[in-house]
Amino acid sequence: MSVLQKIEELINENRLEEAILLLNNEIETTENDDKLFFSRGKLHWRLGNKSQAITDYEHAVAINPQSPAHIALDNARDVISFFNPDLYNP
């Protein structure tokens, strides 16, 4: 079983922290693969680590401006910057 298959298996089993550890190792040994950063960013987002997710999305876009991480980055920034005054003024 390849490392990427193992990562996918861990994600399917909802073992996201373990998948991130494997992705960290894969990122260290693979040079400039935007897909790895995008995948890790999606896992960080699912775990609520929004700043780490955005950092990974930004890195993926820096490597490949056509990466789907570009859309995720835009969406993440929209979520972070969302402000609804009605929520603060009952």
Side-chain angles (χ1 to χ4, degrees):
M1 177 182 295
S2 76
V3 174
L4 296 178
Q5 289 173 329
K6 180 64 176 170
I7 291 168
E8 188 66 34
E9 180 181 307
L10 290 170
I11 292 169
N12 290 336
E13 294 173 0
N14 205 33
R15 295 164 54 191
L16 305 181
E17 292 89 358
E18 293 176 58
I20 287 174
L21 291 175
L22 283 180
L23 276 167
N24 290 343
N25 292 336
E26 201 61 25
I27 287 170
E28 288 177 14
T29 60
T30 305
E31 186 143 340
N32 292 332
D33 187 342
D34 63 291
K35 294 175 190 84
L36 295 175
F37 284 99
F38 180 44
S39 295
R40 188 174 69 178
K42 290 190 296 185
L43 294 176
H44 279 304
W45 190 268
R46 285 176 63 181
L47 290 170
N49 305 325
K50 303 210 183 325
S51 64
Q52 290 173 320
I54 290 172
T55 299
D56 280 341
Y57 296 156
E58 288 173 340
H59 200 85
V61 170
I63 294 168
N64 176 10
Q66 303 303 318
S67 171
H70 182 55
I71 294 169
L73 180 59
D74 289 343
N75 291 339
R77 287 179 176 158
D78 286 345
V79 167
I80 296 297
S81 66
F82 178 75
F83 175 76
N84 184 348
D86 293 336
L87 294 176
Y88 299 104
N89 296 316

